[in-house]
Amino acid sequence: MNTNLLSDILLLYQDVAVLVDEYKATEHKKDMPLPPLTLPPDMSERFDAILAKINLRLMDDSDNFYGYFLFQMGKSFRFDIASPSAVTFKNGKYVMHFNPYIFLALTIEQMESDIKHEIIHILSLHLMRAKEMRTKYSKLAVNLAMDIAANMYLDNVPPDSATLAWVNMAYTSDAPMAPYETYELYAERIQEELNKFKLTEDACDPGSSRNDMIQEKYDPEDTHDIWDESDDADEDIIKAFTQTYIENARKGELPNYLESMLATLKEDHQGLPWDWYLKKLVGSVTAGKKKTTTRRNRRQPERLDLPGQLKGHKAKIFIALDISGSISDGEF
C-alpha cells in the first residue's frame, strides 16, 4: 500500500504545485489580490483518498488512538495556514485543516506525526489556553512553547518544526531549556530571550508583504492564527465535546504520556453546565397551543373569523431545589 500511497502523494503534489504557480502568475498579471485559492473537486477527492489511507495506517498503528480520533473530525483544505495542518472547533465539531502545498511535501511518517501533533494540541486544550497566554507573552513565544510541548512526544516531525533542540539553538542564549517542562515555563523562557534581543513579531517576520492567501512553508508566528476562527464556546462545553472524542477513540492500551494527558483532562472536566442543556431544549419541545390566523379552526373550518391553533414552544419551566441535609452547601 505504501508504494501506491507514495505515488498518489507525489502525483497530487505535482498537480498542486502547478495550481499554486498558475495562481501566483495570474495574481501577478492582474496586480491585485485574487479570491482564496481552493482545490478543484478532482484534487479534493484525491486528497480525501490519501487522507483515508493515512487514517487507516494510524488506526493500524500501536498508537491507534490518533487514527480513531482523526476519523471523527471534519476535514478541509486551505492554502492560507502556515503549517502542514491545523485544527479549529466549529459548530460542535473539531475540524482538521490541511495546507496541500506544505502537507503533501512531507513523508508519510511526517504526515502522521503532524496529525498527532494537532491532536495533542486538542488534548492539551491549547486552543483555549492560547488566548490567556497571549495576554502575558507574545504570539511567537506562545506558539513556540505550545509546539515544543506537543512535539516532545513525537518522532519524525516535519522539517522546520519547533522542537526543543531547534528553539534552544535559535532562541536560547543562556542555559538551554530542559525537556518535559510545562508550556507555561517554555513561554516564559522564550519571552525572556525575545526581550533580550528586542525581537518582536514584526522584526522576526521577513515576509510582511507576502501573500497571505498562500502559505508555502511553516511559520512559527502564524501557524496557530487559525485557532482564532474557533467558536467562542464555553470552556466546559469544549471539554465535554473533547471527552466524547476521546471515549470514541480509546480502543486499547495507550502510551503513558497519552494516559497522563487524558487523566489530567478528565480530572479537569466536570460535565456540561445545566443551563447549556436547558438552552438546547427550550424552543424544541412543544408546550401548549397558540392561536393563529394562518390556519383554520379545526372544529369549524367554515368560520374564517375563528382562529386556528399551532403548537406552542413557550416552555413553562419548573425548578426544584433539594434543600435536605443529603447535599452539601457547595452542591446546593
Side-chain angles (χ1 to χ4, degrees):
M1 187 176 85
N2 282 353
T3 303
N4 293 335
L5 179 55
L6 283 171
S7 177
D8 292 342
I9 292 171
L10 178 59
L11 291 174
L12 181 56
Y13 177 71
Q14 291 173 342
D15 291 342
V16 167
V18 171
L19 184 70
V20 170
D21 289 341
E22 291 176 348
Y23 178 91
K24 291 161 61 179
T26 303
E27 186 178 50
H28 179 71
K29 288 179 181 178
K30 293 189 175 183
D31 196 26
M32 61 180 295
L34 296 176
L37 178 62
T38 58
L39 275 183
D42 63 316
M43 292 190 189
S44 294
E45 291 178 4
R46 291 162 61 190
F47 206 150
D48 280 331
I50 289 172
L51 289 178
K53 291 179 181 179
I54 293 173
N55 207 153
L56 285 175
R57 282 175 52 95
L58 287 170
M59 287 180 175
D60 289 338
D61 190 61
S62 57
D63 293 348
N64 61 7
F65 173 87
Y66 293 105
Y68 286 104
F69 198 102
L70 176 65
F71 185 75
Q72 304 172 74
M73 300 177 69
K75 316 287 190 308
S76 85
F77 313 126
R78 48 192 293 178
F79 290 86
D80 62 339
I81 54 177
S83 56
S85 62
V87 291
T88 57
F89 181 78
K90 299 283 289 184
N91 301 318
K93 188 173 187 176
Y94 283 111
V95 180
M96 182 83 74
H97 307 273
F98 296 91
N99 183 328
Y101 194 77
I102 303 177
F103 187 82
L104 291 170
L106 304 178
T107 67
I108 296 175
E109 292 74 19
Q110 290 170 346
M111 290 178 179
E112 293 174 343
S113 287
D114 189 68
I115 291 170
K116 293 178 181 180
H117 171 98
E118 297 301 332
I119 293 175
I120 289 175
H121 278 315
I122 293 174
L123 302 179
S124 303
L125 300 178
H126 286 173
L127 280 73
M128 292 188 301
R129 290 170 175 166
K131 296 179 181 179
E132 179 184 356
M133 292 283 285
R134 287 175 184 171
T135 63
K136 302 177 182 178
Y137 310 107
S138 67
K139 185 173 69 171
L140 177 60
V142 173
N143 286 351
L144 289 174
M146 290 187 169
D147 279 347
I148 289 174
N151 286 330
M152 198 76 64
Y153 307 99
L154 302 175
D155 299 320
N156 302 309
V157 296
D160 300 327
S161 295
T163 62
L164 180 62
W166 179 80
V167 173
N168 273 333
M169 180 180 65
Y171 292 94
T172 306
S173 59
D174 298 327
M177 295 181 290
Y180 303 108
E181 298 286 359
T182 63
Y183 68 88
E184 291 93 345
L185 187 144
Y186 289 137
E188 182 179 354
R189 281 289 312 276
I190 293 170
Q191 189 62 56
E192 289 174 356
E193 296 296 330
L194 294 177
N195 293 340
K196 286 180 184 177
F197 299 99
K198 297 182 179 179
L199 293 176
T200 64
E201 278 82 352
D202 293 335
C204 294
D205 184 3
S208 57
S209 61
R210 69 175 183 266
N211 183 350
D212 289 329
M213 294 295 184
I214 300 180
Q215 298 285 357
E216 300 180 52
K217 62 180 182 179
Y218 169 78
D219 187 335
E221 293 179 53
D222 300 329
T223 183
H224 300 315
D225 285 358
I226 194 174
W227 289 358
D228 295 332
E229 299 179 15
S230 296
D231 290 342
D232 191 19
D234 183 88
E235 183 173 332
D236 286 333
I237 293 176
I238 295 179
K239 288 178 182 177
F241 276 107
T242 305
Q243 199 65 46
T244 301
Y245 275 70
I246 291 170
E247 294 305 321
N248 291 335
R250 295 187 72 119
K251 303 296 180 182
E253 293 187 6
L254 301 179
N256 290 336
Y257 76 90
L258 265 181
E259 285 286 9
S260 178
M261 284 183 190
L262 302 188
T264 301
L265 182 62
K266 192 168 186 178
E267 289 174 5
D268 199 29
H269 167 60
Q270 298 178 349
L272 288 173
W274 64 268
D275 57 311
W276 184 85
Y277 288 106
L278 183 61
K279 289 176 184 177
K280 288 291 182 182
L281 189 63
V282 171
S284 64
V285 295
T286 58
K289 303 287 186 179
K290 63 179 181 179
K291 294 182 178 181
T292 176
T293 57
T294 63
R295 180 170 294 185
R296 295 191 179 193
N297 188 288
R298 292 184 62 183
R299 293 187 176 182
Q300 301 184 58
E302 71 283 354
R303 291 280 305 275
L304 300 181
D305 58 316
L306 295 179
Q309 291 183 332
L310 290 175
K311 293 179 179 179
H313 292 278
K314 189 174 182 180
K316 296 179 180 179
I317 301 171
F318 296 86
I319 299 175
L321 297 179
D322 183 353
I323 59 173
S324 68
S326 63
I327 64 171
S328 66
D329 291 340
E331 290 172 326
F332 174 74

